[in-house]
């Protein structure tokens, strides 16, 4: 008996309907990126491990999918090394490549390798899958798509402003109500300074980033566990729980961070971004959120995260400013800022809110019923005209029962059916049936096209 096929955990098949929905997401994001002058690149699915390792922290390194070398990968290994059963050391010996973990590090590698061909500032976008050897769970997959846009080679905060406009435009087109949350790593560094724990900035940001998930009490417990003093934790409370309008929060921060040059710089940057966007006007809410920290350590300035307001789900977009990501590849002092749309989570949100336009689900707009050879030949001539007009249309390949052909149209959500029997052929026309209303009318090929255009 044949073994039942399966796919790896954390991966998914997508049906034609699901793929059409996903293409709607990718195409919408792509169109908006083009609107703002971004150009598309692609990088290989696999990178050298030397490119990937050490860029995501110790936990990230563990989540890299490593690719076994082809050929005799045991050559060069001693019996002692083999018998040690040290998985990490052995993998380093016979794995030179790995599947990409994100699109940002491969992009940094691309910029360094192609620096002589690139005009800066370089505005690129990339829509490709990434892989993480994570534990699969609801909303978390081992293979998923990222839709990134970055600007490198410019320190201007107008880039941050435009990225926020892109986020606002994309979610307005989707019809998803969101809150765009913004913070600045310089503000967080300033807070760490004034509470006397400047060297613990990473521990502080990692902990407060979890406030929504684990609550204030557990965040404080984690801070204490990391060796942060009770006095410092007490000083931190009113800052991370600060509320009011964006302007009110910024006014308080100016006073609180008066002794921190770094912190005040972060306030100044946030004030420019927020005031510029307020003048331009957004469809969605934008909020200064001091608990937003973004886990990745390479962010150095503004950081962003987007939450859907009508669905309980994690962040659906994120990003921020990084000052020296290309430095690890020997090209220092190249500043960049970027965002990444979480296509898989957006897919789930659009499904829950039933926001997909009807036309995205069905690619075929018209089906010709097949009554036999003569009728099919007549239909094929009109079908050519219909397709030349840009209308997606098909003919049922077999002259089967009418019920079977109509069921086919229903299962594919085809909105119109064309019937051409002897009477229609004699008149040089077809009967057009609206599958939703049941209405039928006799039309010429020209009128058929105008009806469906």
């Amino acid at each position: 008996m044949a073994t039942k096929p399966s796919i790896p955990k954390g991966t998914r098949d997508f049906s034609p309907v699901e793929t059409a929905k996903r293409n709607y997401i990718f195409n919408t994001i792509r169109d908006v990126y083009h609107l703002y002058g971004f150009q598309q690149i692609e990088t290989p699915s696999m990178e050298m491990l030397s490119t990937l390792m050490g860029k995501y922290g110790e936990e990230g390194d563990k989540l890299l999918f490593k690719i076994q070398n082809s050929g005799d990968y045991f050559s060069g290994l001693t019996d002692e090394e083999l018998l040690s059963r040290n998985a990490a050391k052995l993998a380093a010996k016979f794995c030179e490549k790995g599947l990409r973990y994100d699109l940002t590090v491969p992009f940094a590698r691309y910029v360094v390798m192609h620096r002589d061909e690139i005009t800066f500032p370089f505005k690129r976008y990339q829509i490709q899958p990434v892989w993480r050897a994570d534990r699969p769970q609801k909303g978390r997959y081992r293979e998923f798509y990222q839709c990134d846009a970055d600007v490198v080679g410019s320190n201007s905060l107008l880039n941050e402003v435009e990225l926020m406009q892109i986020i606002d435009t994309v979610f307005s087109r989707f019809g998803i109500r969101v809150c765009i949350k913004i913070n600045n790593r310089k503000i967080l560094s300033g807070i760490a300074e004034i509470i006397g724990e400047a060297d613990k900035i990473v521990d502080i940001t990692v902990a407060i980033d979890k406030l929504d998930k684990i609550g204030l009490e557990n965040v404080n417990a984690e801070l204490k566990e990391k060796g942060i003093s009770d006095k410092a934790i007490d000083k931190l409370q009113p800052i991370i729980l600060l509320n009011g309008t964006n302007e009110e929060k910024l006014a308080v921060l100016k006073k609180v961070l008066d002794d921190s040059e770094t912190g005040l710089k972060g306030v100044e940057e946030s004030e420019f971004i927020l005031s510029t966007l307020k003048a331009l006007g957004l469809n969605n809410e934008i909020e200064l959120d001091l608990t937003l920290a973004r886990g990745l350590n390479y962010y150095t300035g503004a950081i962003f995260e987007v939450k859907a307001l009508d669905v309980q789900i994690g962040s659906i977009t994120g990003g921020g400013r990084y000052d020296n990501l290309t430095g690890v590849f020997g090209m220092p002092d190249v500043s960049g800022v970027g965002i990444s749309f979480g296509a898989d989570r957006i897919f789930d949100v659009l499904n829950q809110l039933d926001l997909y336009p009807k036309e995205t689900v069905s690619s075929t707009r018209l089906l010709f019923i097949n009554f036999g050879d003569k009728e099919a030949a007549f239909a094929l001539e009109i079908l050519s005209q219909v397709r030349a007009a840009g209308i997606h249309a098909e003919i049922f390949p077999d002259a089967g029962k009418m019920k079977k052909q109509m069921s086919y149209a229903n299962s594919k959500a085809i909105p119109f059916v064309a019937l051409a029997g002897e009477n229609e052929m004699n008149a040089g026309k077809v009967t057009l049936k609206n599958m939703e209303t049941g209405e039928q009318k006799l039309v010429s090929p020209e009128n058929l096209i105008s009806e469906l255009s």
Side-chain angles (χ1 to χ4, degrees):
M1 186 178 172
T3 307
K4 188 179 178 182
S6 62
I7 59 173
K9 283 183 180 177
T11 65
R12 295 174 290 173
D13 286 324
F14 293 102
S15 69
V17 169
E18 289 169 326
T19 301
K21 288 178 174 180
R22 286 164 64 80
N23 284 337
Y24 165 68
I25 294 169
F26 298 142
N27 291 339
T28 301
I29 294 169
R30 186 181 287 110
D31 287 348
V32 176
Y33 283 160
H34 285 160
L35 198 61
Y36 283 80
F38 285 76
Q39 296 176 295
Q40 186 172 14
I41 68 163
E42 290 192 351
T43 59
S45 299
M46 56 183 168
E47 294 274 352
M48 301 305 291
L49 277 178
S50 56
T51 297
L52 302 173
M53 295 290 284
K55 311 304 187 301
Y56 309 104
E58 196 177 327
E59 281 304 304
D61 283 351
K62 289 177 186 173
L63 299 180
L64 287 170
F65 275 111
K66 298 172 180 69
I67 299 171
Q68 186 177 287
N69 295 342
S70 54
D72 183 8
Y73 52 83
F74 283 119
S75 66
L77 286 176
T78 65
D79 288 347
E80 188 182 348
E81 284 172 324
L82 284 169
L83 292 169
S84 72
R85 301 173 69 86
N86 186 318
K89 281 187 178 177
L90 288 170
K93 291 276 187 179
F94 53 74
C95 296
E96 293 174 352
K97 298 172 285 293
L99 294 177
R100 60 169 173 249
Y101 178 91
D102 72 354
L103 298 178
T104 308
V105 169
F107 172 53
R109 189 266 311 149
Y110 176 93
V111 170
V112 174
M113 284 185 68
H114 299 272
R115 68 180 93 182
D116 296 331
E117 306 155 32
I118 290 170
T119 302
F120 293 99
F122 182 38
K123 299 172 79 169
R124 90 76 167 90
Y125 78 89
Q126 208 170 335
I127 299 176
Q128 288 186 278
V130 299
W131 293 268
R132 296 182 187 179
D134 216 341
R135 181 175 294 152
Q137 52 188 284
K138 185 175 169 57
R140 190 183 291 269
Y141 307 100
R142 286 177 169 171
E143 179 186 63
F144 56 96
Y145 268 76
Q146 287 186 337
C147 308
D148 286 17
D150 289 80
V151 186
V152 294
S154 169
N155 294 308
S156 172
L157 293 172
L158 290 179
N159 297 313
E160 277 85 338
V161 169
E162 283 210 330
L163 289 171
M164 296 304 94
Q165 288 180 293
I166 285 172
I167 289 170
D168 186 59
T169 305
V170 165
F171 286 110
S172 295
R173 289 191 179 190
F174 286 143
I176 299 173
R177 293 191 320 118
V178 298
C179 177
I180 304 167
K181 292 177 178 286
I182 181 171
N183 197 7
N184 196 298
R185 288 300 284 256
K186 293 185 181 81
I187 291 176
L188 294 169
S189 296
I191 291 168
E193 273 178 44
I194 61 142
I195 67 170
E197 298 282 1
D199 60 327
K200 295 282 178 70
I201 176 63
V202 173
D203 291 331
I204 291 167
T205 55
V206 167
I208 67 174
D209 199 31
K210 299 174 185 173
L211 188 70
D212 278 355
K213 294 172 191 166
I214 64 175
L216 185 62
E217 200 175 307
N218 289 320
V219 166
N220 289 338
E222 186 170 320
L223 289 167
K224 195 166 185 175
E225 200 179 288
K226 295 291 183 181
I228 294 160
S229 69
D230 289 339
K231 187 180 175 184
I233 293 170
D234 288 341
K235 276 187 181 178
L236 195 58
Q237 302 311 291
I239 300 168
I240 62 174
L241 295 175
L242 190 64
N243 53 33
T245 66
N246 293 332
E247 291 81 4
E248 287 166 347
K249 290 175 185 175
L250 288 167
V252 171
L253 285 170
K254 282 178 187 174
K255 292 176 185 173
V256 171
L257 297 173
D258 190 42
D259 292 331
S260 169
E261 188 181 338
T262 302
L264 288 176
K265 181 66 176 166
V267 173
E268 183 190 320
E269 290 177 3
S270 301
E271 193 167 36
F272 175 84
I273 296 165
L274 289 165
S275 62
T276 306
L277 287 168
K278 189 173 183 179
L280 292 168
L282 295 180
N283 295 320
N284 289 284
E285 178 188 346
I286 184 161
E287 176 196 345
L288 178 64
D289 183 354
L290 297 183
T291 67
L292 174 61
R294 301 286 299 162
L296 293 172
N297 295 334
Y298 53 66
Y299 291 123
T300 53
I303 43 180
F304 330 108
E305 203 158 88
V306 179
K307 295 287 177 78
L309 295 177
D310 300 315
V311 172
Q312 281 290 103
I313 198 166
S315 165
I316 53 177
T317 298
R321 164 74 64 173
Y322 44 86
D323 279 340
N324 196 25
L325 192 64
T326 56
V328 294
F329 299 120
M331 188 179 173
D333 305 320
V334 178
S335 185
V337 59
I339 54 172
S340 181
F341 287 95
D344 294 272
R345 285 185 174 177
I346 292 170
F347 175 82
D348 292 339
V349 170
L350 288 170
N351 271 334
Q352 286 186 55
L353 299 177
D354 194 22
L355 289 174
Y356 288 101
K358 276 186 182 178
E359 60 269 20
T360 63
V361 178
S362 172
S363 62
T364 302
R365 189 148 170 76
L366 176 69
L367 173 72
F368 278 85
I369 298 297
N370 189 338
F371 289 111
D373 292 343
K374 277 195 304 180
E375 292 85 350
F378 176 79
L380 283 170
E381 285 186 33
I382 301 172
L383 189 56
S384 295
Q385 296 174 47
V386 168
R387 286 174 177 157
I391 296 162
H392 299 183
E394 58 182 288
I395 183 169
F396 198 82
D398 305 302
K401 290 182 179 176
M402 179 86 149
K403 185 180 178 183
K404 182 180 179 182
Q405 298 189 49
M406 287 296 192
S407 294
Y408 175 82
N410 282 324
S411 70
K412 287 190 72 176
I414 298 172
F416 293 96
V417 162
L419 303 99
E422 195 172 332
N423 292 339
E424 286 89 356
M425 288 168 65
N426 290 335
K429 296 183 178 183
V430 297
T431 297
L432 179 67
K433 179 173 182 175
N434 184 318
M435 294 295 283
E436 196 172 317
T437 64
E439 181 191 351
Q440 294 188 179
K441 60 172 82 169
L442 193 65
V443 294
S444 66
E446 295 77 17
N447 286 343
L448 172 67
I449 290 166
S450 62
E451 286 273 349
L452 297 174
S453 295

